[in-house]
Amino acid sequence: MMEILMQFERSVLSSILFSPDKIDEISEIISADDFSYEPHKNIFLAMQELRRTDLPIDEEFIFKLSTKARPISEEEILNIANTSPIGDINAYVNEIRNASIKRRLNSFALKIQESTEDESADIEKIIGYLQSELYSITDTQKTHDFRDALDVSTATLEYIKAMKERGNSYLIGLDTGFHELNKMTAGFNEGDLIIIAARPSMGKTTLALNMTQKALDSGKGAVFFSLEMPPEQLMLRMLSAKTSIAFQNLRVGRLLEEEWSRLTYASSVISQAPLFFDDNTSLTIHQLRAKLLRIKTKHPEIGLAVIDYLQLMSGVRGGGGNRHQEVGEISRGLKTIARELKIPIIALSQLNRSLESRNDRRPMLSDLRESGSIEQDADVILFVYRDEIYRLRDEREKAEEARKKGEKGVTVSIQEKSEEEAEIIIGKQRNGPTGMVKVAFHNRYMRFVDMERKMEINYEDASEATQTRLEPNEGGIDMPNI
């Protein structure tokens, strides 16, 4: 078998020697590392170098590129020159490629065995490394052919026709849960990478959870990767938003009897939904891809993935490199996964602190941490802005400074509101307009809603003369350990 493969490699190299233009097509399918015989690998590298420098690909110039690190003998060149070139080279190239994949998989199997024999090794690091290796094998072997204009134009007309049959609806992707945002974005589309960015406490996690709930309400499944907080805390926020029960009351289990019935019903609905959480705090892009592939295979209804948040993810090897390069690798990986699985991926992102020194603290693209790669890879970038946060913070800082100066009777005139105006700023949209959408933020219930929606009844203020509020865990009710 090895001799047959050697003959395939000689035939391919001979075909390049007799028809140098073929090297471009061949280099799209295989690389020098795919050759099993080291001298053949060195000759192929020399041919590629000659092609790049626009020099003749012949025996004499190939031999001139021989070095101690990459030796090329006259005998090997002569063997190739004496091999008859072939007309249909693709079959031979594919055989070389398939044999290379098998060698790499055999090597991968040995690495698995070696890793498991080391009893002191960290199992999570081993799994992450092996997933990374397997991803690199499959990813580097993908080839893509050109699509001609007829194919693309036919697919485009079919798309337009499908949109017309839907009644010219502006919503063509996943419902964001917000009417005006849907009108500006047409929803989140398959393969989109959506970045939701904000300073801490602005509500980016809450917004992502609200969008996740809308996806569930639309019959889609969702996966939430939480690198910052445990799933129980996320579920508390979802239940508060869905039931209109104050988040703080849910946290301590201080509920009215009537609220328990609403909570029980909402919990049963969510528990039946295809919603999955992952709280691995050292997640790499390859681990994320492997996990999404597995769960998408088991649950094809998965239509959304959320990462909270991007800067907490690790690079391929789990850190140790340049952070800007790592974030670039992560953002490109997320975009690739979104296209591969044909689902929108929402990744939350932190903003630089520098924006808080401006008079207008509304965020812009340059405020993104490691902004270059994120800005380039994202299809949509949304910023969450709540002016009330800064107004309240400024007022408290002024009051504190006055107290330090000895002033008496200093109070904070601005109080935290149960409902406030918020802004979702579209900083980038690859296939649509940028702009701003105003929404309402219900502070007590951890949710954003359209401005035209009114506040639900505040059960906290209902008469307690007719309703009994249960204290934490009263009646034997088990609350999550947060």
Side-chain angles (χ1 to χ4, degrees):
M1 183 63 188
M2 190 63 186
E3 183 58 37
I4 295 174
L5 184 59
M6 290 270 289
Q7 188 60 39
F8 286 161
E9 293 179 359
R10 287 196 190 100
S11 296
V12 169
L13 294 173
S14 174
S15 297
I16 296 173
L17 204 58
F18 282 90
S19 302
D21 289 343
K22 288 186 176 181
I23 193 170
D24 297 327
E25 178 185 349
I26 293 170
S27 295
E28 287 289 321
I29 304 173
I30 59 174
S31 67
D33 289 333
D34 289 322
F35 286 88
S36 62
Y37 188 42
E38 191 71 22
H40 291 170
K41 178 189 299 186
N42 295 338
I43 291 171
F44 188 71
L45 286 169
M47 289 176 167
Q48 288 181 317
E49 179 63 25
L50 293 171
R51 186 64 169 176
R52 279 194 297 269
T53 54
D54 202 24
L55 292 172
I57 300 179
D58 60 24
E59 295 92 324
E60 183 177 344
F61 276 92
I62 291 172
F63 185 68
K64 282 184 178 181
L65 292 181
S66 177
T67 63
K68 283 186 178 181
R70 294 195 325 217
I72 300 173
S73 69
E74 291 184 2
E75 181 183 358
E76 290 298 339
I77 297 174
L78 187 61
N79 286 338
I80 291 169
N82 289 334
T83 301
S84 300
I86 51 179
D88 184 10
I89 201 172
N90 288 334
Y92 283 57
V93 172
N94 286 330
E95 286 293 332
I96 294 172
R97 174 176 171 271
N98 292 338
S100 173
I101 295 174
K102 290 178 181 178
R103 288 196 303 275
R104 295 184 69 183
L105 288 174
N106 284 332
S107 175
F108 179 69
L110 290 174
K111 288 178 181 178
I112 294 176
Q113 183 176 352
E114 292 172 359
S115 299
T116 54
E117 288 175 352
D118 184 358
E119 295 182 359
S120 63
D122 187 317
I123 189 65
E124 291 297 327
K125 288 184 178 180
I126 291 175
I127 293 172
Y129 171 72
L130 294 177
Q131 287 176 332
S132 170
E133 288 293 308
L134 183 59
Y135 176 78
S136 67
I137 293 173
T138 57
D139 188 59
T140 55
Q141 300 303 328
K142 293 176 182 177
T143 59
H144 300 276
D145 294 328
F146 283 107
R147 295 175 62 194
D148 59 31
L150 176 62
D151 179 30
V152 176
S153 62
T154 301
T156 304
L157 287 173
E158 288 296 323
Y159 166 80
I160 296 172
K161 181 181 177 182
M163 291 302 103
K164 181 173 177 59
E165 290 175 350
R166 292 177 61 169
N168 298 317
S169 170
Y170 60 81
L171 182 62
I172 61 176
L174 188 69
D175 192 341
T176 68
F178 303 93
H179 180 73
E180 293 301 320
L181 187 60
N182 282 340
K183 288 175 68 174
M184 293 190 70
T185 63
F188 296 150
N189 296 302
E190 293 180 353
D192 277 356
L193 173 59
I194 301 100
I195 301 294
I196 297 179
R199 288 293 296 154
S201 301
M202 283 289 166
K204 57 183 179 293
T205 300
T206 296
L207 181 62
L209 286 171
N210 296 163
M211 291 177 170
T212 300
Q213 183 63 64
K214 187 61 181 180
L216 299 178
D217 293 342
S218 303
K220 299 288 186 180
V223 183
F224 205 106
F225 293 90
S226 178
L227 287 77
E228 190 174 31
M229 63 179 72
E232 289 82 3
Q233 289 189 15
L234 298 174
M235 184 58 70
L236 276 178
R237 293 178 181 220
M238 293 185 75
L239 289 170
S240 178
K242 194 169 183 65
T243 62
S244 296
I245 300 173
F247 176 72
Q248 291 301 327
N249 288 342
L250 276 181
R251 286 190 67 199
V252 299
R254 185 171 179 268
L255 305 177
L256 301 172
E257 289 181 337
E258 185 275 333
E259 288 173 334
W260 271 111
S261 63
R262 299 208 315 274
L263 177 63
T264 303
Y265 175 75
S267 179
S268 66
V269 171
I270 293 180
S271 66
Q272 299 300 314
L275 174 61
F276 305 91
F277 294 93
D278 184 287
D279 60 351
N280 180 4
T281 57
S282 58
L283 190 68
T284 69
I285 190 65
H286 298 323
Q287 290 172 333
L288 184 141
R289 177 182 180 270
K291 290 182 177 185
L292 275 179
L293 281 171
R294 280 201 304 271
I295 200 153
K296 190 78 165 68
T297 302
K298 293 180 181 178
H299 300 273
E301 69 275 20
I302 295 294
L304 175 68
V306 181
I307 294 91
D308 184 13
Y309 56 91
L310 188 148
Q311 280 85 5
L312 289 179
M313 289 187 66
S314 304
V316 176
R317 304 296 175 183
N322 180 283
R323 188 54 187 163
H324 286 265
Q325 292 178 352
E326 279 191 326
V327 171
E329 174 189 89
I330 292 166
S331 64
R332 284 191 298 274
L334 290 176
K335 175 59 183 174
T336 301
I337 295 168
R339 291 192 61 183
E340 182 181 2
L341 297 183
K342 296 181 179 179
I343 62 171
I345 290 180
I346 297 175
L348 309 192
S349 177
Q350 289 282 22
L351 294 176
N352 291 317
R353 189 189 302 271
S354 59
L355 72 85
E356 297 186 354
S357 62
R358 300 196 300 257
N359 290 330
D360 185 354
R361 292 156 171 170
R362 287 176 175 81
M364 56 186 70
L365 292 175
S366 58
D367 295 321
L368 282 165
R369 288 184 181 175
E370 298 91 18
S371 62
S373 56
I374 298 174
E375 183 179 341
Q376 174 183 314
D377 297 322
D379 297 283
V380 179
I381 297 178
L382 304 177
F383 297 111
V384 184
Y385 178 75
R386 290 161 53 201
D387 191 61
E388 197 69 21
I389 291 286
Y390 290 117
R391 291 183 63 208
L392 185 59
R393 185 184 303 173
D394 292 346
E395 188 77 7
R396 286 172 176 169
E397 288 177 356
K398 288 178 183 178
E400 184 62 28
E401 288 177 5
R403 290 191 191 99
K404 288 180 180 178
K405 292 178 180 178
E407 298 179 19
K408 296 182 179 180
V410 179
T411 59
V412 178
S413 59
I414 300 176
Q415 299 299 321
E416 191 170 351
K417 299 177 181 178
S418 59
E419 179 179 1
E420 64 185 69
E421 185 178 284
E423 298 175 9
I424 300 177
I425 301 168
I426 305 174
K428 175 193 174 181
Q429 186 173 192
R430 199 183 300 277
N431 298 307
T434 58
M436 185 267 290
V437 172
K438 288 188 177 183
V439 294
F441 178 66
H442 294 171
N443 208 341
R444 294 164 57 78
Y445 307 134
M446 290 295 183
R447 68 183 173 213
F448 292 88
V449 297
D450 285 320
M451 285 296 291
E452 60 267 23
R453 281 186 58 183
K454 300 299 182 182
M455 282 277 291
E456 277 77 0
I457 297 173
N458 187 349
Y459 293 93
E460 169 80 1
D461 298 331
S463 171
E464 298 196 15
T466 57
Q467 300 187 67
T468 302
R469 184 173 294 282
L470 300 178
E471 292 303 319
N473 296 328
E474 183 179 337
I477 298 166
D478 295 326
M479 289 298 292
N481 183 19
I482 305 300

